[in-house]
Amino acid sequence: MNDFVAFVGTHADQLLRQTLTHIGLTFVSLLLALLIGVPLGILIARHARLASVTLGVAGVLQTIPSVALLGFLIPVLGIGIGPALAALFLYALLPIIRNTYVGITEVSPSVTDAARGLGMTDNQILLKVELPLALPVLFAGIRTATVINVGVATLAAYVAAGGLGEFIFGGIALSNTSMILAGAIPAALLAVGFDAGLAWLQHRSGRHLRMGAVVFALLLPVLSGFALLPAGHDRLVAGFAHEFYGRADGYPGLQKTYGLQLTPKLIDQNLMYEAIHRGQVDLISGYSTDGRIKAFDLLVLADDRHAFPPYDAAPIVRQAALDRYPALGTTLNKLAGRLSDSVMTTLNYQVDYQKQSPEAVARQFLQRTGLYKTPSPGERTQTIVMGSKVFTEQYILAEIYRQLIEGQTQLRMVTKTGLGGTQICFDALRTGAIDFYPEYTGTGLLVILQPPADKLRTMSMQSDSVYAFVDAQFKTSYNIQWLKPLGFSNSYALMMRRQQAQALGIRSIPDLVRYLQR
């Protein structure tokens, strides 16, 4: 609890901004859904044959998983507030259309007949009789849509639209419980608070209910405006992964080493490259061996002061697994030194840009190096469980390891890919849920071991020194061994479109800092 309170106190300004953005996203989408959904509900109440089709389509939209819906919208609307609002609008439609339809159709025919007998027109009956009587049911739909959208709006951070999901995504990537709670608790409180307020309005009657509806209608544009609050403005628009923004060896390290000050958009790491390729951001965080560097003609900015430590890739294995399966360590070490930076970049390029499967790319690599063997038939009684993180390079390495082990040994491989951030993978290894996974020495040093600052200052940041240190510490603290490095270093990097960087005279991170400070 003390850690959570300290985190909230340190990040109060950021939390306020995220909360206001979250409220804005929720109510902009709700306003749009009301403007479309209420007239549509009235229309199908007048034309019953349209009701089943309209409600069916809205119901299908409601069942599409939110991440999948965002995936469909990103190619059309890009990243940012556009796809987030579109997804939230579609999720809010069904309860509003349905409750408008139900509220109007449940008005007693005798009441509408009496109104017509008094000489009212159809429009007068709608505005003065049917809609006022349908308001309690309509408010129930608004309550449902609001609560749904408060929850779904956390995914806006996936597409760099902001909101409380920034803390949630960052906390999950870093296994930072305080950060997760800083996003989750306000989101839950918003949902409960808005639901309680709308419930209170829903249960008013007569003139009080109508006055409440008017006040709510006036408040909607005001609350919606929070989504348009201006953010900090930089000369270049940066898009950083949530994990990079929070890790000591990511953006905080750049601030400390270079004095870099940015207000970046936080975005899913798999969307960053597409965003810079489309020109929606100018600067991204990435990995130095990513195949999309070549595909999108990006320039990796030189890290002159070595803010990013060496990230030599190597498998880390539980000692218990090495002791139990003697062939495991020997087989894994056959890959030592086989994967240079250029080779790994090419493999990533083949998967990311040429759309080859990790399985096919891994097989081709093993065949070229003479390490591929067709798995021999027969029952395999001993099982090894391998994990990986959730990005392309890790999927490729997982396939290389699987095919190598199944071809060279009688062990049966079970793979658990896409385990998420570093801490999730490491916890799975430490607790025995997996037996090994590919890791990077810089990550092992700064994310898992987290040595004191004075120790880091005295350490040599050369590849051999960092490897020796993490290997020794992992053996002592966790009974986990680092096997021989694969031969490439996939360090964090800042990247720009090559043409833009050359036009601005930016080749290194110091050049970037000078440009931003002009």
Side-chain angles (χ1 to χ4, degrees):
M1 180 57 71
N2 290 336
D3 290 342
F4 170 69
V5 172
F7 181 88
V8 170
T10 304
H11 298 83
D13 291 344
Q14 190 177 358
L15 179 59
L16 176 61
R17 176 181 58 79
Q18 290 182 8
T19 302
L20 292 176
T21 301
H22 204 94
I23 293 171
L25 291 170
T26 299
F27 283 100
V28 168
S29 56
L30 183 63
L31 177 60
L32 294 173
L34 284 169
L35 292 174
I36 301 297
V38 171
L40 201 52
I42 293 170
L43 177 65
I44 63 176
R46 294 284 185 263
H47 304 279
R49 286 180 297 180
L50 297 175
S52 59
V53 175
T54 303
L55 293 173
V57 171
V60 168
L61 293 173
Q62 189 84 13
T63 63
I64 300 175
S66 49
V67 174
L69 185 57
L70 286 171
F72 292 134
L73 293 170
I74 287 167
V76 179
L77 300 174
I79 64 166
I81 197 171
L85 286 180
L88 292 170
F89 160 73
L90 293 175
Y91 278 118
L93 266 183
L94 176 61
I96 290 174
I97 295 174
R98 182 181 58 206
N99 283 47
T100 302
Y101 168 75
V102 170
I104 290 177
T105 55
E106 286 190 350
V107 174
S108 173
S110 61
V111 174
T112 55
D113 288 343
R116 192 168 284 108
L118 291 173
M120 287 187 177
T121 64
D122 288 344
N123 286 338
Q124 288 174 325
I125 292 173
L126 174 65
L127 295 174
K128 296 184 178 182
V129 178
E130 291 176 321
L131 280 179
L133 292 175
L135 272 179
V137 180
L138 177 57
F139 265 109
I142 294 172
R143 284 176 62 189
T144 302
T146 303
V147 173
I148 289 172
N149 278 12
V150 169
V152 176
T154 56
L155 290 174
Y158 179 80
V159 292
L164 292 164
E166 290 187 350
F167 275 155
I168 295 174
F169 275 92
I172 291 172
L174 298 167
S175 284
N176 186 327
T177 304
S178 296
M179 186 180 289
I180 295 173
L181 292 176
I185 290 176
L189 292 176
L190 287 178
V192 172
F194 291 145
D195 183 63
L198 290 170
W200 181 84
L201 278 178
Q202 179 187 350
H203 293 103
R204 299 305 91 192
S205 59
R207 184 169 60 89
H208 296 292
L209 177 57
R210 292 192 292 274
M211 288 178 61
V214 171
V215 171
F216 179 72
L218 294 174
L219 280 176
L220 261 181
V222 177
L223 295 172
S224 300
F226 290 149
L228 304 176
L229 288 175
H233 179 70
D234 298 311
R235 299 186 71 186
L236 295 174
V237 179
F240 291 165
H242 298 88
E243 185 174 14
F244 177 84
Y245 186 70
R247 276 175 55 155
D249 52 339
Y251 180 60
L254 290 174
Q255 288 179 301
K256 183 177 179 180
T257 305
Y258 292 100
L260 180 65
Q261 294 297 327
L262 287 165
T263 306
K265 295 182 177 181
L266 300 187
I267 184 172
D268 179 78
Q269 63 184 9
N270 293 310
L271 299 178
M272 290 186 305
Y273 295 92
E274 190 65 29
I276 196 169
H277 180 57
R278 288 169 171 257
Q280 294 170 319
V281 297
D282 304 307
L283 175 75
I284 63 170
S285 60
Y287 302 101
S288 59
T289 58
D290 198 293
R292 287 164 290 193
I293 298 172
K294 174 182 176 181
F296 297 151
D297 194 26
L298 303 179
L299 176 70
V300 176
L301 302 186
D303 177 18
D304 297 347
R305 301 177 191 170
H306 305 290
F308 304 128
Y311 286 80
D312 297 313
I316 58 174
V317 194
R318 292 192 308 121
Q319 188 62 50
L322 292 172
D323 294 340
R324 185 175 181 183
Y325 311 112
L328 178 61
T330 303
T331 304
L332 291 176
N333 277 333
K334 290 183 178 182
L335 284 174
R338 298 271 190 165
L339 286 156
S340 65
D341 287 3
S342 60
V343 169
M344 195 68 244
T345 300
T346 299
L347 299 183
N348 285 327
Y349 174 78
Q350 290 172 333
V351 174
D352 279 327
Y353 193 68
Q354 296 182 337
K355 304 304 180 184
Q356 298 183 42
S357 70
E359 180 181 4
V361 169
R363 184 182 300 111
Q364 293 164 12
F365 166 76
L366 290 173
Q367 288 170 341
R368 287 195 302 270
T369 56
L371 292 174
Y372 183 80
K373 289 185 179 180
T374 303
S376 59
E379 183 179 359
R380 297 168 183 256
T381 57
Q382 295 180 313
T383 300
I384 288 290
V385 183
M386 172 184 58
S388 81
K389 302 179 191 180
V390 60
F391 58 93
T392 299
E393 182 168 287
Q394 291 268 312
Y395 292 135
I396 296 171
L397 293 176
E399 271 300 320
I400 290 175
Y401 284 134
R402 183 186 68 80
Q403 294 179 31
L404 179 69
I405 289 173
E406 290 187 345
Q408 303 262 354
T409 74
Q410 286 301 307
L411 296 171
R412 184 173 73 91
M413 284 293 302
V414 174
T415 58
K416 295 184 178 181
T417 57
L419 289 178
T422 296
Q423 199 63 48
I424 295 174
C425 264
F426 181 70
D427 286 344
L429 180 67
R430 184 175 51 82
T431 59
I434 60 175
D435 293 308
F436 77 97
Y437 77 95
E439 189 51 279
Y440 307 92
T441 54
T443 301
L445 174 68
L446 295 174
V447 178
I448 298 174
L449 295 178
Q450 298 182 16
D454 56 346
K455 175 65 177 177
L456 284 174
R457 283 193 295 270
T458 60
M459 279 186 62
S460 168
M461 283 298 167
Q462 299 300 313
S463 291
D464 291 345
S465 300
V466 173
Y467 176 84
F469 179 80
V470 297
D471 184 36
Q473 292 297 313
F474 271 58
K475 286 177 182 175
T476 302
S477 302
Y478 306 112
N479 204 25
I480 290 171
Q481 184 173 335
W482 286 72
L483 298 187
K484 294 180 181 179
L486 298 176
F488 72 93
S489 178
N490 187 7
S491 64
Y492 268 138
L494 292 186
M495 306 172 191
M496 294 179 64
R497 291 183 297 277
R498 185 179 300 276
Q499 186 176 6
Q500 182 185 22
Q502 290 175 344
L504 297 176
I506 299 175
R507 295 182 176 275
S508 65
I509 299 176
D511 291 341
L512 172 67
V513 174
R514 284 191 291 270
Y515 175 81
L516 293 173
Q517 291 176 346
R518 287 178 191 167

